[in-house]
Amino acid sequence: MELKLILQIVGVVLGLLYLWLEYRANIWLWVVGAIMPCVHCALYYQSGLYADCAMQGYYILAGLYGLIVWLAGHRRKENPLKISHTPLRLVVPLVAVYGALHAVLYYLLVTLTDSTVPFWDAMTTALSMVAMWLLSRKYVEQWLVWLVVDAITVGLYIYKGIPLTACLYGLYTALAVAGFMRWQREARRN
């Protein structure tokens, strides 16, 4: 079996487990989220998706950060970390961070790599970085950012010849809607 196919299969299995854990707001998502990037890094490098490949290092660090934040949030008795909505005061800074990340990643991809999709690769990577931060804070709107990332990624991965991973992101797209609705109900309860 070809290495690219093996990496896709393992990545799909880990991705489904991760998404199920995220949907349930289970802290173990961060552990799976630290393992899965290693598989995806190899796959994306072989597919010429260099920003996505480099992004996997960020995912490992973000996973550790998220685990620490969630553990600390669960230990607080008076103000535990709960699913909630993103405060409006954070919207403009988050959009600015996204814009800066997208511009820097695009520049790096154009000048340092042979990427054939620098704009889209930079876009999905920058949005993913913002979404991971929102997830670490248990903000409902992280699902909306993932919805955009996942939908764009389906087309990107089909174009780059990794169809199994594209199918996984198609499923992610549908489940982002379900996750958003579930977390929104949970936020109302909190």
Side-chain angles (χ1 to χ4, degrees), residues 2 26 31 51 60-61 72 136 153 164 179:
E2 182 185 335
N26 185 303
V31 175
I60 292 168
L61 295 175
S136 76
T153 300
L164 289 179

Side-chain angles (χ1 to χ4, degrees), residues 43-53 98 101-126 152-162:
L43 175 63
Y44 299 151
Y45 183 80
Q46 283 198 343
S47 302
L49 292 163
Y50 305 115
D52 276 348
C53 178
Y98 159 73
L101 286 169
H102 189 169
V104 168
L105 290 168
Y106 177 78
Y107 174 77
L108 292 172
L109 288 170
V110 168
T111 58
L112 301 176
T113 75
D114 61 351
S115 177
T116 58
V117 288
F119 178 84
W120 300 106
D121 196 4
M123 174 188 270
T124 57
T125 301
I152 293 168
T153 300
V154 169
L156 185 60
Y157 288 2
I158 289 170
Y159 176 76
K160 293 304 272 184
I162 47 178

Side-chain angles (χ1 to χ4, degrees), residues 66-112:
L67 180 62
I68 290 165
V69 170
W70 280 33
L71 281 173
H74 287 288
R75 289 187 186 135
R76 288 193 309 246
K77 301 231 189 261
E78 289 187 19
N79 189 18
L81 184 64
K82 294 180 182 178
I83 294 172
S84 63
H85 288 282
T86 307
L88 288 177
R89 65 181 161 69
L90 294 178
V91 173
V92 171
L94 287 170
V95 170
V97 166
Y98 159 73
L101 286 169
H102 189 169
V104 168
L105 290 168
Y106 177 78
Y107 174 77
L108 292 172
L109 288 170
V110 168
T111 58
L112 301 176

Side-chain angles (χ1 to χ4, degrees), residues 2-46:
E2 182 185 335
L3 178 61
K4 204 170 175 181
L5 180 58
I6 293 168
L7 291 171
Q8 286 185 82
I9 292 168
V10 172
V12 165
V13 170
L14 289 171
L16 291 172
L17 177 58
Y18 177 87
L19 189 60
W20 180 75
L21 293 168
E22 181 181 7
Y23 177 80
R24 310 224 356 117
N26 185 303
I27 199 165
W28 285 98
L29 78 93
W30 298 109
V31 175
V32 174
I35 297 167
M36 186 172 52
C38 299
V39 173
H40 283 147
C41 183
L43 175 63
Y44 299 151
Y45 183 80
Q46 283 198 343

